[in-house]
């Protein structure tokens, strides 16, 4: 809780994200909170979560309304993440989407991809621009080699040559999270277990950025009208571009 220590932690996290494009944060979220979140996705009367879209073999992505156990700053506004995102994206950053990515038993490894194409693909300097968005992956169950995790290609946010980078499997536990630069090459690993692998995805982004690739020009951030009053005033700005119902999406 020491402000100086928290500021140092945020600075180290930003340095890791700048250099590697990814970082694992251990024990960031209370496991009980994530167990409660496992009860989501919510019912249609909580904001119409919308139909899931395929993002690989036996793998879906679905917008999740900010409701129930998900509607808490303990999840969307952890002090370390808020401090780091303010440093990396500017103080007016917003949450762009909250989705649930579910890998079913037997799912094969996902195709290698970044969460968004380069903003300026015609420029050789595009990869060296500051980050415009980060994905925070929060597993709702413990991940291991059998159920699978996410394979990241460290440094690939600064290069198009993923063949020169070795993949690094990240199997984090419930309560941990994996932070990815939106430009980083990564893929979901195969699910060789008999259990479903649900992972919550929260995207923090610069206020001017709109993800028209994954959400069809709409918004992947759903806050039902009845839930807005539960958001503390200090964090209301994070949700200023939210919609009351799910928007259509394109598969990655």
């Amino acid at each position: 809780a020491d402000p100086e220590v928290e500021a140092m932690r945020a600075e180290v996290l930003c340095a890791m994200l700048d250099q590697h494009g990814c970082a694992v944060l251990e024990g960031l979220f209370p496991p009980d909170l994530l167990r409660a979140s496992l009860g989501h996705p919510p019912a249609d009367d909580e904001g119409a979560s919308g139909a899931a879209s395929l993002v690989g073999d036996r793998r879906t992505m679905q917008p999740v309304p900010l409701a129930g156990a998900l509607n808490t700053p303990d999840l969307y506004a952890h002090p370390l993440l808020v401090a780091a995102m303010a440093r990396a994206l500017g103080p007016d950053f917003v949450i762009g989407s909250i989705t649930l990515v579910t890998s079913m038993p037997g799912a094969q490894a996902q195709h290698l991809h970044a969460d968004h194409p380069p903003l300026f693909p015609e420029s050789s300097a595009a990869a060296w621009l500051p980050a415009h968005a980060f994905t925070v992956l929060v597993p709702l169950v413990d991940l291991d080699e059998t159920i699978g995790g996410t394979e990241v290609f460290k440094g690939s946010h600064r290069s198009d040559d993923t063949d020169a980078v070795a993949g690094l499997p990240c199997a984090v536990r419930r309560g941990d999270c994996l932070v990815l630069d939106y430009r980083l090459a990564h893929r979901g690993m195969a699910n060789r277990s008999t259990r479903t692998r649900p992972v919550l995805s929260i995207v923090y982004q610069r206020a001017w950025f709109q993800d028209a690739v994954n959400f069809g020009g709409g918004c992947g951030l759903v806050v039902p009208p009845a839930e807005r009053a539960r958001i503390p005033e200090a964090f209301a700005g994070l949700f200023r571009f939210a919609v009351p119902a799910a928007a259509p999406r394109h598969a990655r």
Side-chain angles (χ1 to χ4, degrees):
D2 187 319
E4 291 187 5
V5 173
E6 288 301 300
M8 290 174 61
R9 294 178 67 199
E11 185 176 353
V12 171
L13 174 55
C14 287
M16 294 178 67
L17 292 173
D18 184 60
Q19 180 178 356
H20 303 300
C22 56
V24 172
L25 303 179
E26 297 181 344
L28 205 68
F29 302 108
D32 287 345
L33 169 62
L34 300 182
R35 290 190 189 96
S37 300
L38 195 55
H40 259 37
D44 290 341
D45 60 0
E46 291 180 310
S49 57
S53 61
L54 288 173
V55 288
D57 175 62
R58 299 179 59 80
R59 183 178 283 103
T60 62
M61 181 178 72
Q62 181 176 19
V64 180
L66 189 77
L70 297 181
N71 192 356
T72 171
D74 291 342
L75 180 64
Y76 60 72
H78 188 281
L80 176 57
L81 283 176
V82 167
M85 294 300 103
R87 282 173 175 264
L89 301 173
D92 64 339
F93 75 94
V94 298
I95 295 177
S97 63
I98 299 178
T99 58
L100 187 70
V101 180
T102 304
S103 300
M104 304 302 293
Q108 299 301 306
Q110 196 178 25
H111 60 286
L112 187 63
H113 68 283
D115 283 337
H116 196 273
L119 294 182
F120 304 99
E122 70 281 359
S123 172
S124 60
W128 294 101
L129 294 174
H132 59 278
F134 292 94
T135 301
V136 176
L137 297 178
V138 184
L140 300 184
V141 297
D142 288 341
L143 306 185
D144 54 34
E145 292 182 358
T146 303
I147 199 171
T150 300
E151 185 179 24
V152 299
F153 289 71
K154 293 171 60 175
S156 58
H157 64 311
R158 300 297 188 197
S159 172
D160 293 331
D161 186 11
T162 54
D163 292 335
V165 182
L168 176 66
C170 294
V172 296
R173 299 181 63 81
R174 180 163 52 190
D176 303 341
C177 71
L178 173 62
V179 187
L180 305 174
D181 188 298
Y182 227 43
R183 300 165 294 180
L184 189 82
H186 64 283
R187 59 187 167 201
M189 300 171 68
N191 182 354
R192 298 190 299 273
S193 76
T194 58
R195 297 174 293 133
T196 298
R197 185 176 83 219
V199 177
L200 198 65
S201 172
I202 305 175
V203 173
Y204 299 88
Q205 62 192 46
R206 294 184 186 269
W208 50 260
F209 174 65
Q210 184 182 51
D211 189 343
V213 173
N214 293 302
F215 301 103
C219 180
L221 182 61
V222 180
V223 181
E227 294 289 338
R228 280 193 176 270
R230 296 181 53 203
I231 300 173
E233 184 177 353
F235 304 120
L238 294 176
F239 300 95
R240 59 186 181 272
F241 298 129
V243 298
R249 288 155 286 108
H250 296 310
R252 286 177 184 161

